Amino acid sequence: MDLDPVIHAPVRLRIVTHLDTSLVDPDDEVTFPRLQRDLELTAGNLTTHLAKLEQAGYVATSKTFSGRKPVTYVRLTHEGRAAFHTYRSALLKLLGE
Amino acid sequence: MDLDPVIHAPVRLRIVTHLDTSLVDPDDEVTFPRLQRDLELTAGNLTTHLAKLEQAGYVATSKTFSGRKPVTYVRLTHEGRAAFHTYRSALLKLLGE
């Protein structure tokens, strides 16, 4: 019974849990600043952990422009949602839930 | 909402969860070899993580002799059990349970 270390790290666990509950449809996405505010993380911390999640294929980011301002959007991939649900049931089982 | 890193590390989470469920009374203890077998860990891995839990005051170990053979016993301290229950409810809350 392995707990996916990409998800298990506390900050990433908070990020993925938040994305899983707030982005219900597969195409739902959230802006980086909004995610940063919701999770009360520094931009640097969020960037570091999103990079790790993106490297694993669990989140996808896209950049667009709002006027001349670049905006980064974050989305939970199908693979990320599936990995989180597998992780979550393994953890709940471990905790005897 | 912080997840106690002493407990959150996957191997230690398995150790503490196992001790919390298998050692019901405060004075209950388990031998090192039995714990090692139950958790399917190497002696080195179990020793490393027990040391970290003991340093935090979450487990206590004692050594006695069975005949001429030294036997190490492991016990979950009151503080360890309380820390685990706090950790567990924070984690379940995060997972929306």
Side-chain angles (χ1 to χ4, degrees):
Chain A
M1 187 282 316
D2 284 328
L3 292 172
D4 185 338
V6 174
I7 295 174
H8 192 63
V11 173
R12 292 196 292 273
L13 175 54
R14 289 184 59 222
I15 294 170
V16 175
T17 304
H18 183 74
L19 293 177
D20 182 63
T21 35
S22 59
L23 305 181
V24 180
D25 292 329
D27 305 330
D28 284 351
E29 45 188 14
V30 59
T31 66
F32 182 97
R34 171 65 193 273
L35 189 57
Q36 186 192 337
R37 217 171 34 244
D38 287 352
L39 292 169
E40 296 169 354
L41 294 172
T42 64
N45 207 4
L46 181 55
T47 301
T48 303
H49 289 293
L50 279 180
K52 189 119 191 179
L53 289 166
E54 191 157 24
Q55 201 183 6
Y58 290 173
V59 301
T61 60
S62 57
K63 279 197 176 30
T64 60
F65 281 85
S66 159
R68 275 184 300 158
K69 231 183 90 196
V71 182
T72 299
Y73 284 89
V74 182
R75 182 175 60 82
L76 190 60
T77 63
H78 175 73
E79 201 191 334
R81 205 178 295 266
F84 175 60
H85 291 174
T86 303
Y87 164 88
R88 192 169 180 278
S89 20
L91 185 57
L92 291 175
K93 192 173 158 226
L94 174 64
L95 294 174
E97 283 297 305
Chain B
M1 185 282 320
D2 285 328
L3 292 172
D4 185 338
V6 174
I7 295 174
H8 193 63
V11 173
R12 292 196 293 274
L13 175 54
R14 289 184 59 221
I15 293 170
V16 176
T17 305
H18 183 75
L19 293 177
D20 182 62
T21 36
S22 57
L23 305 181
V24 180
D25 293 326
D27 305 327
D28 285 352
E29 46 189 13
V30 59
T31 66
F32 183 97
R34 170 64 193 272
L35 189 56
Q36 186 190 337
R37 218 173 33 246
D38 287 352
L39 294 169
E40 295 171 353
L41 295 172
T42 64
N45 206 7
L46 181 55
T47 300
T48 303
H49 288 293
L50 280 180
K52 189 121 190 174
L53 289 167
E54 190 158 25
Q55 202 184 7
Y58 290 173
V59 303
T61 59
S62 58
K63 278 197 178 28
T64 59
F65 281 87
S66 159
R68 276 183 297 157
K69 232 183 91 199
V71 182
T72 299
Y73 285 89
V74 183
R75 181 175 59 83
L76 188 62
T77 64
H78 176 72
E79 200 190 335
R81 205 178 296 265
F84 175 61
H85 291 173
T86 304
Y87 163 89
R88 193 169 180 278
S89 22
L91 185 57
L92 291 175
K93 193 173 158 226
L94 174 63
L95 294 175
E97 283 295 301

